[in-house]
Amino acid sequence: QDELVESGGGLVQAGGSLRLSCVTSRNINKIYRMNWYRQAPEKQRELVASITTGGTTNYADSVKGRFTISRDPAKDTVYLQMNSLKPEDTAVYYCNYVRFSIDRWGQGTQVTVSS
């Protein structure tokens, strides 16, 4: 079974920080790429950040320099450190990977940034 459980969301003021966690039921050393997506109300889900087993990271232009994705294979966990948060970062954040060509998703965690 593929299970992903996100946590760490909440309400924060603009300029603040949050760290999201995603625990998987699978050995993340066997998952080539782990992703964080987000979806704001009435907007499409967008890729925020990704990290490969080799440690290569990629970020959406809107979060570069503010967000950092990392992974801890010992805990089968992926993190998203979010600094200098802005109201436009408000969204439900989802952890994701693709296995056998099927997207696997967590339930999401709400991040709300107040101005």
Side-chain angles (χ1 to χ4, degrees):
Q1 286 284 44
D2 293 281
E3 292 186 8
L4 301 88
V5 180
E6 301 98 333
S7 63
L11 174 63
V12 64
Q13 288 189 332
S17 298
L18 286 173
R19 188 178 80 155
L20 306 184
S21 300
C22 170
V23 181
T24 73
S25 61
R26 296 207 173 262
N27 181 345
I28 66 169
N29 279 327
K30 296 184 178 181
I31 302 171
Y32 174 66
R33 180 183 289 113
M34 296 289 302
N35 308 302
W36 281 100
Y37 282 78
R38 68 185 181 187
Q39 187 166 20
E42 301 181 357
K43 290 190 176 181
Q44 288 192 329
R45 194 170 294 191
E46 64 171 343
L47 179 62
V48 174
S50 63
I51 187 167
T52 68
T53 50
T56 300
T57 58
N58 280 288
Y59 298 92
D61 287 343
S62 59
V63 307
K64 279 181 182 176
R66 300 188 298 121
F67 290 10
T68 303
I69 188 171
S70 61
R71 55 197 293 275
D72 184 349
K75 297 181 179 179
D76 289 327
T77 299
V78 177
Y79 302 99
L80 186 67
Q81 178 67 43
M82 306 186 296
N83 299 328
S84 301
L85 283 162
K86 304 176 181 180
E88 52 263 44
D89 295 318
T90 295
V92 178
Y93 284 71
Y94 297 92
C95 186
N96 161 273
Y97 62 83
V98 177
R99 182 170 173 265
F100 297 137
S101 301
I102 298 174
D103 278 297
R104 317 288 174 165
W105 299 96
Q107 82 288 350
T109 185
Q110 176 70 47
V111 171
T112 303
V113 185
S114 63
S115 57

